[in-house]
Amino acid sequence: MRHFSTLLASGAMALVLATSCATNSGSQEVTLKDAFKDKFLIGVAINNNQAWGRDSLGTAMVKKHFNAVVAENEMKCERLHPKENEFFWDNADRFVQFAEENGMYPVGHCLIWHSQCAPWFFVDEKGGQVDAETLKNRMRDHIYAVVGRYKGRIKGWDVVNEAIVEDGSYRNSKFYQILGEEFIPLAFQFAHEADPDAELYYNDYGMNVAGRRDAVVKMVNDLKSRGLRIDAIGMQGHMGMDYPTYEEFETSLKAFAGTGCKVNISEWDMSALPTLTHSANVSDTVAFRKSLNPYPDSLPSEVSAQWNERMAGVLEVLLRNADSIDRVIAWGVSDGDSWKNGWPVPGRKDYPLLIDRNYELKPFLQDVIASSQESK
Ligand code: GLA
């Protein structure tokens, strides 16, 4: 397995440690937020169990190691705005309060997304599809209500999520079908009107893919040329053991930074399970089902070593591009929380996050901490 000493070979990491050591004299344990100080914020997506303190061990790890947070689900349209004239704020309010109590950078996720959008959004009073003017008004009302409620408190918003597909064309979402490409500039305009000081982001997955990368760069440059505010591009960073390559990930990172925007790694995780390349219902045999969920008890040590080595490699890419990166955010607190346990196959046991089911940092991060402490 790649040890942290290997990472030290990179000048960027040496700098991290120098900074971390300089600011952490005394016997206190170095935390992730210490280790990455002066590089980027290190954040995590939290659920209600952490926001309300019910997952006491997870909550303690969040407070100890992270300085940015995003709500995994509670600010999505279907949760906040389930009916046209009905809002549900309790969990989102608690999330913002949690961030403030703990001095963390709160990210708002997400305003306009084809998925987890409340169904009423696209339906008119006769049950048909809304016209363009109505959808535009609903977008404005939704964005004004949500961004307005947290004005000055949520510091940055994922304004549009997942609008471009791999070949570079626009996703054929309801937003696109009804409003065409204009739904994106409109969303950024409305978000800026609702809170002129908030940072605004475009966020997407599979950003290593050349077609999507080029289209996102073009779309962001178009927003900028219209004078619209966009501060950062979010590379979600949902990864597997065989994708993306470090090279293509870094190529995209640099291409996005080339627009003048910052880059956020907004939803980092790496599945330790085999990537599915065929449909799950091809042959529903016991052997096939077992191959889908190969580590139901624990992750074998050789797979864990490979996973940690690959994560250390990604971290190396992030550190050498740290000048372009504002935040790196893990998509969930500990492995048991991860959406990857339920997708793309329900009921799998995956190991994709920075913290394991025993609330221990994964080895590649323990190496970061240990090396920081050694050089104190
Ligand atoms: C996307 C979304 C996230 C989350 C993940 C997986 O990446 O941006 O909010 O829903 O899918 O669940």
Side-chain angles (χ1 to χ4, degrees):
M1 171 193 144
R2 179 196 303 259
H3 282 283
F4 194 57
S5 49
T6 319
L7 287 183
L8 256 181
S10 92
M13 183 52 95
L15 246 177
V16 168
L17 294 185
T19 314
S20 170
C21 296
T23 53
N24 288 290
S25 52
S27 59
Q28 270 211 327
E29 189 193 345
V30 175
T31 64
L32 289 182
K33 58 191 175 193
D34 294 330
F36 299 123
K37 193 171 185 289
D38 297 334
K39 290 292 156 192
F40 36 67
L41 296 181
I42 182 83
V44 66
I46 62 171
N47 60 31
N48 285 329
N49 290 333
Q50 290 108 27
W52 292 96
R54 296 191 290 259
D55 168 15
S56 54
L57 295 175
T59 307
M61 288 298 275
V62 174
K63 291 182 183 177
K64 177 173 176 181
H65 286 290
F66 297 94
N67 48 19
V69 271
V70 60
E72 184 178 0
N73 285 303
E74 299 305 328
M75 287 192 162
K76 292 173 178 171
C77 178
E78 67 176 8
R79 298 285 170 100
L80 281 186
H81 201 168
K83 299 203 175 124
E84 184 160 15
N85 297 310
E86 195 176 303
F87 288 88
F88 175 73
W89 300 110
D90 294 7
N91 291 329
D93 285 355
R94 174 61 205 147
F95 160 75
V96 178
Q97 194 186 8
F98 178 90
E100 288 172 341
E101 283 166 4
N102 294 291
M104 295 165 167
Y105 188 105
V107 179
H109 173 85
C110 50
L111 298 172
I112 297 296
W113 185 30
H114 66 281
S115 181
Q116 294 186 266
C117 183
W120 67 267
F121 223 90
F122 308 107
V123 180
D124 67 17
E125 59 287 352
K126 294 190 193 114
Q129 183 164 285
V130 283
D131 60 29
E133 202 51 31
T134 307
L135 182 58
K136 193 170 147 181
N137 289 335
R138 287 182 179 180
M139 281 176 54
R140 184 194 289 108
D141 292 347
H142 176 72
I143 292 173
Y144 276 22
V146 175
V147 176
R149 184 174 182 89
Y150 301 111
K151 187 171 182 214
R153 298 176 71 199
I154 290 279
K155 304 295 182 196
W157 285 98
D158 288 336
V159 178
V160 175
N161 198 24
E162 301 182 347
I164 307 280
V165 297
E166 295 199 352
D167 68 4
S169 58
Y170 281 71
R171 179 182 299 282
N172 193 23
S173 67
K174 291 276 181 205
F175 290 109
Y176 181 73
Q177 286 168 20
I178 300 168
L179 285 168
E181 297 176 13
E182 278 306 296
F183 85 88
I184 299 180
L186 281 172
F188 278 85
Q189 178 198 321
F190 296 150
H192 186 56
E193 286 166 0
D195 185 354
D197 293 330
E199 291 195 345
L200 305 181
Y201 317 130
Y202 176 76
N203 196 52
D204 215 326
Y205 69 92
M207 294 284 252
N208 54 298
V209 177
R212 181 179 282 121
R213 171 203 304 146
D214 296 346
V216 169
V217 166
K218 186 165 173 292
M219 186 267 290
V220 167
N221 283 334
D222 177 60
L223 292 176
K224 283 174 166 282
S225 69
R226 297 180 189 214
L228 290 165
R229 178 170 186 163
I230 174 162
D231 297 271
I233 298 172
M235 299 177 73
Q236 290 184 359
H238 297 296
M239 302 178 176
M241 296 293 278
D242 52 1
Y243 69 93
T245 66
Y246 301 148
E247 292 74 21
E248 63 193 9
F249 191 76
E250 188 164 16
T251 300
S252 290
L253 210 162
K254 287 182 187 299
F256 296 143
T259 65
C261 283
K262 286 290 188 171
V263 180
N264 294 325
I265 309 306
S266 53
E267 306 185 14
W268 195 22
D269 57 24
M270 185 185 290
S271 175
L273 304 184
T275 303
L276 289 187
T277 51
H278 46 286
S279 153
N281 59 13
V282 172
S283 87
D284 193 16
T285 61
V286 171
F288 179 66
R289 271 180 272 133
K290 210 168 163 209
S291 76
L292 293 178
N293 189 26
Y295 317 124
D297 302 320
S298 62
L299 196 61
S301 55
E302 67 278 11
V303 183
S304 169
Q306 285 163 10
W307 184 93
N308 277 280
E309 179 168 355
R310 213 171 123 65
M311 288 295 272
V314 176
L315 181 58
E316 206 171 331
V317 173
L318 302 182
L319 286 167
R320 71 170 169 261
N321 289 280
D323 284 352
S324 308
I325 299 175
D326 272 345
R327 274 188 302 286
V328 174
I329 296 190
W331 199 248
V333 177
S334 65
D335 281 340
D337 295 317
S338 174
W339 71 296
K340 297 298 292 182
N341 295 302
W343 191 91
V345 180
R348 296 214 289 186
K349 189 164 183 183
D350 206 342
Y351 306 82
L353 292 172
L354 307 188
I355 296 171
D356 68 19
R357 286 175 173 79
N358 295 319
Y359 300 95
E360 302 276 356
L361 286 180
K362 293 287 176 70
F364 82 104
L365 292 172
Q366 288 191 22
D367 286 349
V368 171
I369 302 283
S371 300
S372 301
Q373 266 165 339
E374 271 163 28
S375 34
K376 263 196 205 173

